[in-house]
């Protein structure tokens, strides 16, 4: 009765010692509507790239809030920038702009030779 196939408690914890909030603060500065995201999943359900690959828009929001920039930089490369996510968002968040901002900031940090 030790393993009930639940997540182990350590797998969902945020390591605040290694937390990188540079991308989150940058996105919130230029797209403040992102703070109202309720992670409803409408964006992921309509995503064209999500139908063709394992791309998940909700993971982008989660990883951005958790400061997991390594996973984030790999995931945003799958986005096709079709804009369906923005059209269906009940909170009118410009998700396509959020992804563009993340992509821009990651490239800026790489050119500045700062670890992302």
């Amino acid at each position: 009765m030790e393993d009930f196939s639940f997540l182990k408690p350590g797998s969902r914890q945020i390591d605040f010692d290694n937390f990188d909030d540079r991308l989150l603060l940058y996105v919130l500065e230029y797209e403040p509507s992102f703070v109202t995201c309720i992670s409803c999943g409408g964006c992921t359900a309509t995503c064209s790239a999500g139908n063709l690959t394992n791309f998940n828009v909700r993971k982008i929001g989660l990883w951005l809030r958790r400061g997991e920039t390594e996973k984030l930089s790999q995931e945003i490369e799958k986005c096709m920038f079709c804009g369906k996510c923005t059209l269906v968002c009940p909170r009118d968040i410009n998700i396509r702009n959020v992804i563009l901002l993340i992509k821009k900031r990651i490239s800026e940090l790489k050119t500045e030779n700062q670890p992302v």
Side-chain angles (χ1 to χ4, degrees), residues 1 4-5 7-8 11 25 31 34 37 41-42 71 95 103:
M1 293 188 81
F4 289 104
S5 300
L7 291 173
K8 292 183 173 49
S11 66
L25 295 175
E31 189 62 54
F34 181 70
C37 177
K71 293 179 182 178
I95 301 167
K103 203 168 192 165

Side-chain angles (χ1 to χ4, degrees), residues 62-107:
L62 174 70
W63 290 337
L64 183 61
R65 287 186 182 102
R66 290 182 65 155
E68 297 181 22
T69 56
E70 293 172 13
K71 293 179 182 178
L72 188 60
S73 63
Q74 295 172 359
E75 190 73 9
I76 62 170
E77 295 300 322
K78 300 173 189 173
C79 181
M80 295 169 44
F81 297 103
C82 65
K84 289 181 183 177
C85 53
T86 301
L87 292 174
V88 300
C89 182
R91 297 289 178 117
D92 291 329
I93 301 168
N94 190 343
I95 301 167
R96 185 169 60 176
N97 189 38
V98 169
I99 294 172
L100 283 170
L101 289 169
I102 293 169
K103 203 168 192 165
K104 177 183 174 187
R105 187 63 181 153
I106 286 175
S107 67

